[in-house]
Amino acid sequence: VGGGALSGKHVIVTAGPTHEPIDPVRYIANRSSGRQGFEIAGALAAIGAEVTLVAGPVALPTPAGVRRVDVETALEMAEAVEQALPADAAVMVAAVADWRAEPSATKIKKGGDGAPPPLRLVENPDILAGLAAAKKRPGLVVGFAAETNDVLDHATAKRARKGCDWIVANDVSGDVMGGSDNTVHLVTDAGVESWERLPKPMVAARLAQRIAEALGGLKT
Ligand code: C5P
């Protein structure tokens, strides 16, 4: 028991959307299904990693062997990631909301004058960039970049801007969000590797294998 290329390694994975409340009954969200992140968490666990999966609100079962921490908001996700440190690697797959509202304590009512209520937004922390700059930075920090156009240019720029080691660039121009397949490009310091269109579990397995190689865990 406990064998596998990643045994003894702790990997943090974020997955899913975040929900940012506007008032007690409403929130801002996005279309992330969490599927790719959950597959990655499961694939890492399957080759022996100790996985902490910080999951936004999704309706998905917890992959075998994974420790799951459920959160709602970006601030909660940031806190849960911090709590999960130290880690050997982190894979940030979550579609974190860029902004949050300052929620009203009571349900916002329709005004008599027909004017919509103002929605003041504040920027959320960038969890990936924060982790890449953290004192307890994991040795390998991987980000995702969902793009609809100029995928590689955006991904390469994002890798530099966020200070992460790898970016998995994700072409979401088709039916990727919520769909079963994914077309990705792995951007590292060595350049770009384009993978063929694959089912999400196979993207996950291949990425887990690459992480094992990078962490030098191939011998077990
Ligand atoms: O900036 P953008 O959202 O395109 O970057 C995507 C990458 O950054 C993903 O890995 C995502 O999980 C991460 N991210 C984050 N915290 C944010 C925004 C994005 O960790 N607030």
Side-chain angles (χ1 to χ4, degrees):
V1 282
L6 279 173
S7 76
K9 306 290 186 189
H10 178 215
V11 186
I12 300 170
V13 179
T14 66
T18 64
H19 285 182
E20 308 297 334
I22 295 169
D23 70 13
V25 299
R26 304 185 180 96
Y27 57 81
I28 301 171
N30 63 66
R31 293 189 189 283
S32 168
S33 67
R35 286 181 63 179
Q36 185 65 82
F38 272 58
E39 291 289 355
I40 289 166
L44 290 162
I47 58 171
E50 183 204 319
V51 179
T52 303
L53 171 60
V54 181
V58 294
L60 290 172
T62 306
V66 166
R67 186 176 81 94
R68 174 174 179 174
V69 180
D70 283 311
V71 299
E72 288 262 327
T73 66
L75 290 179
E76 289 168 8
M77 187 171 276
E79 175 66 21
V81 167
E82 164 118 29
Q83 290 294 318
L85 291 170
D88 299 286
V91 189
M92 316 301 268
V93 198
V96 182
D98 290 318
W99 305 280
R100 66 179 179 277
E102 284 161 338
S104 162
T106 54
K107 187 181 171 192
I108 301 167
K109 302 309 252 184
K110 267 183 280 197
D113 58 1
L119 201 54
R120 263 196 316 280
L121 299 178
V122 288
E123 205 166 321
N124 271 327
D126 190 313
I127 303 168
L128 171 60
L131 188 66
K135 246 197 216 107
K136 290 199 255 176
R137 186 194 197 278
L140 180 68
V141 178
V142 182
F144 267 66
E147 309 286 354
T148 55
N149 60 288
D150 303 316
V151 176
L152 293 181
D153 286 351
H154 284 137
T156 305
K158 193 164 291 182
R159 177 174 172 272
R161 193 170 68 241
K162 303 237 182 189
C164 57
D165 301 295
W166 298 352
I167 285 277
V168 180
N170 203 356
D171 188 339
V172 293
S173 56
D175 55 358
V176 164
M177 286 196 117
S180 60
D181 289 0
N182 213 345
T183 306
V184 308
H185 313 266
L186 182 62
V187 182
T188 71
D189 61 344
V192 178
E193 214 180 275
S194 294
W195 298 357
E196 66 272 27
R197 182 181 164 106
L198 291 167
K200 287 180 178 179
M202 296 195 60
V203 170
R206 199 182 281 196
L207 185 63
Q209 197 55 48
R210 292 300 298 267
I211 290 169
E213 286 166 22
L215 296 185
L218 278 182
K219 282 137 304 227
T220 36

